[in-house]
Amino acid sequence: METLDGDYDYIVAGGGTAGCILANKLSEDPGTRVLLLEAGGRDNWIWFHIPVGYLFTIGNPRSDWMFKTESEPGLNGRALAYPRGKVIGGSSAINAMIAMRGQAEDYDGWRAEGLTGWAWDDVLPLFKALEDHFLGESEHHGVGGGWRVEPPRLSWKVLDLVGEAATQMGVARTGDFNTGRNEGVGYFHVNQKRGRRWSAARGYLEPIRSRSNLRVVTGATVDRLALDGKVARGLSYRVGDRQYRVEARREVVLAAGSIGSVQILQRSGIGPADWLSDCGIDVVHRLEGVGRNLQDHLQQRAIYRVSGVQTLNEAYHSLLGKAKMGLQYALFRRGPLTMAPSQLGIFTFSSPGHARPNIEFHVQPLSLDKFGDPLHRFPAITASACNLRPTSRGIVKLRDRHPDSAPIIAPRYLSTEADRKVAADAIRVTRRLMSQPALAPFKPEEHLPGPAVGDDDEALAKAAGDIGTTIFHPVGTARMGTPSDPSSVVDERLRVIGLGQLRVIDASIMPTITSGNTNTPTAMIATKGAKMVLEDNRA
């Protein structure tokens, strides 16, 4: 095993959203040496940069780790593809590009669990600081940061009509979902710049690649941490057939996400004792929460055929349509090639009695069986509703000790009665939305789950299991909590409980999932985490 050019002050394992931001912030001091390790490759493929490229990157082994869940009882025995970005920039290079913070109460709830410094008023300045927002400086937004946010560069008549239908159903219009309460209907703001995807790598890594104190290694699979008793001194990793060991003078930071960070911890002997023993791994530090508390937003992808109004399905299957889309993008950086996977958002209530919106619709002017498949040949739209605050909890655990083995991922969707009720009610809300007068001239016809599905709770919950799929928001598997809570993995300063010089800074630390898309909260966590690392190492 080789030692790579001496040691570093900080080693960051994982070059996704969190890792890119951490590398940027931790290397600002030219006297500090930083190593960033990313298991995926470089983002030098065109489809990482054209927004509609998600159709080609998700489900492609070049860009996606191609994980799968276990067979899920709540999904009537189905296993799901579980996409994760396999590239510098991580999932921000293949995701939906939707800029969404969640709701103020999400973060106030973290503070209520005893996590000082994580309330909405604490994190709002961080959200503003990381942004370069098209709306300009305001009480809600900031400019000059690495996280570019712009409006979509196209609109669709059919989506405008769905928006009108939502208002007829009593949902107010909004021009900004990111003020702390995201109730309303409107077009999503996106992480793009002039029609190109704006990943964390573009925003935070590209501008600093010339820093001589930062080394970025791609294709680097981290095996395990190097522990000296209860202190992390470094780690070992592999590039191709070559093994390396590197040391950190100050800290090792895991930023490999809710799947990857858990794998590294468990391979290092940190986690639930029985899980480690099952894989023949000696228990170095027992932490029962490592790999538990997996949360994700399950979306019910309802599909409706329409007539008399254009959808992307027709253009996708037309040579003339494809040529027109390509020309629009080449000349103006506009048109369907700038599309995020979802354009119109609706935050509302699945039923009366909820204090704040508890379901989110992603509405698309297209339909397909799953990402990676061709669009349907009939004109249709998709209205996906997800439960923003699921109570189901899953697990991520090693299948074996080999670094190249895919882990066991079991989200346990719809495993609580509360989640099954919200799922049933969400289908009812979808049907009510599609029956509003604004859409009547275009004859919406329910394709999925289908008109044969009855209106009782049991039938609708089963239908939700048939059409439900991940919306790619896994969080919580190294949850932040107080040291007295046996399920906690990191404390409020993101330090791994009971170990020195080791932190986890990524989406896995969320105690509870945020009420919306999770990439922007991950960027905030990384910004706050980097600040904590620097503060604690100056002390």
Side-chain angles (χ1 to χ4, degrees):
M1 184 175 295
E2 302 179 44
T3 300
L4 188 67
D5 333 292
D7 55 8
Y8 291 83
D9 294 288
Y10 302 109
I11 300 171
V12 180
T17 295
C20 288
I21 293 174
L22 286 160
N24 181 299
K25 302 298 183 184
L26 297 181
S27 65
E28 283 181 345
D29 179 355
T32 300
R33 297 191 74 208
V34 179
L35 175 64
L36 176 65
L37 301 172
E38 165 55 38
R42 296 169 56 203
D43 60 344
N44 55 355
W45 186 29
I46 189 172
W47 293 120
F48 289 132
H49 305 292
I50 296 177
V52 80
Y54 67 87
L55 288 172
F56 309 101
T57 57
I58 293 176
N60 187 322
R62 174 175 179 169
S63 46
D64 180 355
W65 285 107
M66 305 291 289
F67 293 141
K68 287 190 174 293
T69 71
E70 301 299 291
S71 296
E72 287 283 296
L75 302 186
N76 306 319
R78 291 186 301 127
L80 299 180
Y82 216 64
R84 296 284 88 200
K86 186 183 179 182
V87 61
I88 198 75
S91 293
S92 74
I94 69 171
N95 71 356
M97 297 166 281
I98 293 172
M100 186 66 60
R101 295 171 178 172
Q103 297 168 359
E105 293 91 340
D106 298 331
Y107 304 96
D108 290 343
W110 295 1
R111 176 63 184 88
E113 292 186 25
L115 301 170
T116 302
W118 290 93
W120 174 251
D121 288 344
D122 298 314
V123 301
L124 179 57
L126 296 166
F127 279 123
K128 293 175 63 176
L130 67 87
E131 282 183 339
D132 185 22
H133 205 286
F134 78 98
L135 289 175
E137 187 78 37
S138 71
E139 63 176 312
H140 300 301
H141 296 294
V143 296
W147 203 243
R148 181 62 184 168
V149 180
E150 294 190 350
R153 295 172 71 86
L154 80 168
S155 62
W156 288 82
K157 179 180 178 181
V158 69
L159 296 184
D160 294 337
L161 292 166
V162 174
E164 185 178 346
T167 64
Q168 291 173 342
M169 199 171 65
V171 180
R173 291 192 182 275
T174 181
D176 187 358
F177 287 119
N178 286 306
T179 62
R181 183 177 176 88
N182 50 21
E183 182 176 0
V185 55
Y187 278 87
F188 291 119
H189 297 162
V190 291
N191 293 122
Q192 294 182 12
K193 188 168 185 177
R194 293 191 291 274
R196 293 188 73 205
R197 174 187 289 273
W198 195 255
S199 70
R202 284 193 70 200
Y204 287 91
L205 211 53
E206 283 186 17
I208 62 162
R209 288 300 292 266
S210 61
R211 287 180 184 170
S212 60
N213 63 325
L214 171 65
R215 180 166 186 177
V216 179
V217 182
T218 55
T221 300
V222 175
D223 182 4
R224 54 190 295 123
L225 299 164
L227 297 170
D228 180 5
K230 296 290 185 177
V231 178
R233 299 297 186 188
L235 53 78
S236 59
Y237 71 95
R238 186 187 77 245
V239 178
D241 294 331
R242 300 182 71 178
Q243 298 282 337
Y244 299 90
R245 173 171 171 154
V246 284
E247 296 184 355
R249 284 190 291 260
R250 297 183 182 179
E251 292 195 29
V252 177
V253 181
L254 301 184
S258 293
I259 311 300
S261 289
V262 165
Q263 291 176 280
I264 295 169
L265 287 169
Q266 292 180 4
R267 280 199 298 269
S268 304
I270 303 166
D274 55 340
W275 291 6
L276 300 179
S277 298
D278 289 345
C279 294
I281 297 172
D282 292 337
V283 179
V284 175
H285 184 63
R286 183 173 180 174
L287 271 181
E288 289 298 317
V290 175
R292 303 189 195 276
N293 193 48
L294 173 62
Q295 299 160 60
D296 190 12
H297 291 134
L298 179 74
Q299 61 174 343
Q300 287 107 236
R301 296 184 65 252
I303 294 173
Y304 282 76
R305 294 174 181 250
V306 292
S307 59
V309 64
Q310 187 179 24
T311 74
L312 186 61
N313 289 14
E314 303 95 288
Y316 179 88
H317 290 287
S318 160
L319 288 177
L320 180 61
K322 288 180 178 178
K324 182 180 177 182
M325 289 189 288
L327 195 61
Q328 277 183 294
Y329 189 79
L331 294 178
F332 308 111
R333 291 288 187 269
R334 292 188 177 277
L337 268 65
T338 69
M339 281 174 54
S342 301
Q343 297 77 45
L344 187 78
I346 306 170
F347 286 81
T348 187
F349 304 86
S350 63
S351 62
H354 294 276
R356 53 190 169 116
N358 73 313
I359 58 173
E360 174 186 8
F361 279 91
H362 292 79
V363 189
Q364 307 158 334
L366 57 86
S367 66
L368 70 173
D369 290 333
K370 65 179 184 299
F371 286 114
D373 287 358
L375 304 189
H376 292 146
R377 289 191 171 274
F378 50 83
I381 63 173
T382 302
S384 296
C386 74
N387 179 357
L388 289 171
R389 292 181 293 281
T391 55
S392 298
R393 298 291 183 269
I395 61 168
V396 175
K397 61 184 292 191
L398 295 183
R399 198 171 299 275
D400 56 50
R401 63 190 303 167
H402 197 283
D404 289 333
S405 295
I408 295 169
I409 303 172
R412 295 174 178 162
Y413 296 118
L414 302 179
S415 59
T416 67
E417 193 56 42
D419 286 357
R420 290 172 62 81
K421 174 62 175 170
V422 171
D425 286 338
I427 294 176
R428 293 187 178 102
V429 174
T430 307
R431 287 174 166 176
R432 192 161 74 248
L433 172 69
M434 300 306 294
S435 67
Q436 295 302 312
L439 292 168
F442 307 99
K443 302 178 177 62
E445 178 186 341
E446 186 175 319
H447 178 71
L448 284 177
V453 175
D455 192 54
D456 61 283
D457 282 355
E458 184 176 352
L460 291 174
K462 181 181 182 302
D466 287 334
I467 66 173
T469 187
T470 176
I471 207 164
F472 321 131
H473 297 165
V475 307
T477 51
R479 74 180 298 272
M480 175 172 53
T482 60
S484 61
D485 182 345
S487 67
S488 300
V489 176
V490 300
D491 65 14
E492 65 189 24
R493 297 193 70 79
L494 309 185
R495 299 170 296 203
V496 175
I497 293 169
L499 295 175
Q501 295 186 189
L502 179 63
R503 297 190 208 227
V504 181
I505 304 178
D506 56 32
S508 69
I509 67 91
M510 294 188 194
T512 50
I513 196 166
T514 52
S515 300
N517 309 71
T518 54
N519 197 217
T520 295
T522 301
M524 180 277 293
I525 288 166
T527 304
K528 186 174 179 67
K531 184 179 178 183
M532 289 173 169
V533 170
L534 294 172
E535 287 172 349
D536 292 350
N537 281 278
R538 279 196 296 264

